[in-house]
mmCIF file with all atom_site columns, all heavy atoms in Angstrom:
data_model
loop_
_atom_site.group_PDB
_atom_site.id
_atom_site.type_symbol
_atom_site.label_atom_id
_atom_site.label_alt_id
_atom_site.label_comp_id
_atom_site.label_asym_id
_atom_site.label_entity_id
_atom_site.label_seq_id
_atom_site.pdbx_PDB_ins_code
_atom_site.Cartn_x
_atom_site.Cartn_y
_atom_site.Cartn_z
_atom_site.occupancy
_atom_site.B_iso_or_equiv
_atom_site.pdbx_formal_charge
_atom_site.auth_seq_id
_atom_site.auth_comp_id
_atom_site.auth_asym_id
_atom_site.auth_atom_id
_atom_site.pdbx_PDB_model_num
ATOM 1  N N   . ARG A 1 29 ? 162.174 102.209 51.216 1.00 90.00 ? 29 ARG A N   1
ATOM 2  C CA  . ARG A 1 29 ? 162.250 102.120 49.751 1.00 90.00 ? 29 ARG A CA  1
ATOM 3  C C   . ARG A 1 29 ? 163.034 100.891 49.285 1.00 90.00 ? 29 ARG A C   1
ATOM 4  O O   . ARG A 1 29 ? 164.048 100.529 49.898 1.00 90.00 ? 29 ARG A O   1
ATOM 5  C CB  . ARG A 1 29 ? 162.906 103.386 49.188 1.00 90.00 ? 29 ARG A CB  1
ATOM 6  C CG  . ARG A 1 29 ? 162.086 104.645 49.389 1.00 90.00 ? 29 ARG A CG  1
ATOM 7  C CD  . ARG A 1 29 ? 162.833 105.875 48.891 1.00 90.00 ? 29 ARG A CD  1
ATOM 8  N NE  . ARG A 1 29 ? 164.026 106.130 49.693 1.00 90.00 ? 29 ARG A NE  1
ATOM 9  C CZ  . ARG A 1 29 ? 164.905 107.102 49.428 1.00 90.00 ? 29 ARG A CZ  1
ATOM 10 N NH1 . ARG A 1 29 ? 164.725 107.889 48.378 1.00 90.00 ? 29 ARG A NH1 1
ATOM 11 N NH2 . ARG A 1 29 ? 165.954 107.286 50.205 1.00 90.00 ? 29 ARG A NH2 1
ATOM 12 N N   . PRO A 1 30 ? 162.614 100.290 48.194 1.00 90.00 ? 30 PRO A N   1
ATOM 13 C CA  . PRO A 1 30 ? 163.340 99.113  47.658 1.00 90.00 ? 30 PRO A CA  1
ATOM 14 C C   . PRO A 1 30 ? 164.526 99.534  46.797 1.00 90.00 ? 30 PRO A C   1
ATOM 15 O O   . PRO A 1 30 ? 164.620 99.194  45.613 1.00 90.00 ? 30 PRO A O   1
ATOM 16 C CB  . PRO A 1 30 ? 162.257 98.410  46.831 1.00 90.00 ? 30 PRO A CB  1
ATOM 17 C CG  . PRO A 1 30 ? 161.396 99.518  46.331 1.00 90.00 ? 30 PRO A CG  1
ATOM 18 C CD  . PRO A 1 30 ? 161.345 100.539 47.439 1.00 90.00 ? 30 PRO A CD  1
ATOM 19 N N   . LEU A 1 31 ? 165.445 100.276 47.385 1.00 91.00 ? 31 LEU A N   1
ATOM 20 C CA  . LEU A 1 31 ? 166.616 100.736 46.644 1.00 91.00 ? 31 LEU A CA  1
ATOM 21 C C   . LEU A 1 31 ? 167.762 99.737  46.802 1.00 91.00 ? 31 LEU A C   1
ATOM 22 O O   . LEU A 1 31 ? 168.018 99.256  47.911 1.00 91.00 ? 31 LEU A O   1
ATOM 23 C CB  . LEU A 1 31 ? 167.078 102.101 47.148 1.00 91.00 ? 31 LEU A CB  1
ATOM 24 C CG  . LEU A 1 31 ? 166.103 103.268 47.020 1.00 91.00 ? 31 LEU A CG  1
ATOM 25 C CD1 . LEU A 1 31 ? 166.720 104.529 47.619 1.00 91.00 ? 31 LEU A CD1 1
ATOM 26 C CD2 . LEU A 1 31 ? 165.721 103.490 45.569 1.00 91.00 ? 31 LEU A CD2 1
ATOM 27 N N   . PRO A 1 32 ? 168.470 99.427  45.740 1.00 90.00 ? 32 PRO A N   1
ATOM 28 C CA  . PRO A 1 32 ? 169.637 98.541  45.876 1.00 90.00 ? 32 PRO A CA  1
ATOM 29 C C   . PRO A 1 32 ? 170.795 99.272  46.528 1.00 90.00 ? 32 PRO A C   1
ATOM 30 O O   . PRO A 1 32 ? 170.860 100.507 46.507 1.00 90.00 ? 32 PRO A O   1
ATOM 31 C CB  . PRO A 1 32 ? 169.968 98.180  44.423 1.00 90.00 ? 32 PRO A CB  1
ATOM 32 C CG  . PRO A 1 32 ? 169.497 99.369  43.633 1.00 90.00 ? 32 PRO A CG  1
ATOM 33 C CD  . PRO A 1 32 ? 168.262 99.855  44.338 1.00 90.00 ? 32 PRO A CD  1
ATOM 34 N N   . ASP A 1 33 ? 171.706 98.516  47.106 1.00 94.00 ? 33 ASP A N   1
ATOM 35 C CA  . ASP A 1 33 ? 172.920 99.105  47.665 1.00 94.00 ? 33 ASP A CA  1
ATOM 36 C C   . ASP A 1 33 ? 173.647 99.859  46.554 1.00 94.00 ? 33 ASP A C   1
ATOM 37 O O   . ASP A 1 33 ? 173.855 99.338  45.460 1.00 94.00 ? 33 ASP A O   1
ATOM 38 C CB  . ASP A 1 33 ? 173.821 97.990  48.220 1.00 94.00 ? 33 ASP A CB  1
ATOM 39 C CG  . ASP A 1 33 ? 175.014 98.535  48.991 1.00 94.00 ? 33 ASP A CG  1
ATOM 40 O OD1 . ASP A 1 33 ? 175.758 99.353  48.422 1.00 94.00 ? 33 ASP A OD1 1
ATOM 41 O OD2 . ASP A 1 33 ? 175.202 98.147  50.153 1.00 94.00 ? 33 ASP A OD2 1
ATOM 42 N N   . ARG A 1 34 ? 174.020 101.093 46.836 1.00 93.00 ? 34 ARG A N   1
ATOM 43 C CA  . ARG A 1 34 ? 174.628 101.928 45.784 1.00 93.00 ? 34 ARG A CA  1
ATOM 44 C C   . ARG A 1 34 ? 175.995 101.416 45.332 1.00 93.00 ? 34 ARG A C   1
ATOM 45 O O   . ARG A 1 34 ? 176.478 101.805 44.271 1.00 93.00 ? 34 ARG A O   1
ATOM 46 C CB  . ARG A 1 34 ? 174.770 103.366 46.274 1.00 93.00 ? 34 ARG A CB  1
ATOM 47 C CG  . ARG A 1 34 ? 175.613 103.515 47.528 1.00 93.00 ? 34 ARG A CG  1
ATOM 48 C CD  . ARG A 1 34 ? 175.725 104.958 47.939 1.00 93.00 ? 34 ARG A CD  1
ATOM 49 N NE  . ARG A 1 34 ? 176.332 105.074 49.248 1.00 93.00 ? 34 ARG A NE  1
ATOM 50 C CZ  . ARG A 1 34 ? 176.873 106.204 49.708 1.00 93.00 ? 34 ARG A CZ  1
ATOM 51 N NH1 . ARG A 1 34 ? 176.892 107.280 48.950 1.00 93.00 ? 34 ARG A NH1 1
ATOM 52 N NH2 . ARG A 1 34 ? 177.386 106.249 50.918 1.00 93.00 ? 34 ARG A NH2 1
#
Side-chain angles (χ1 to χ4, degrees):
R29 294 176 294 176
L31 298 178
D33 188 305
R34 59 179 170 162

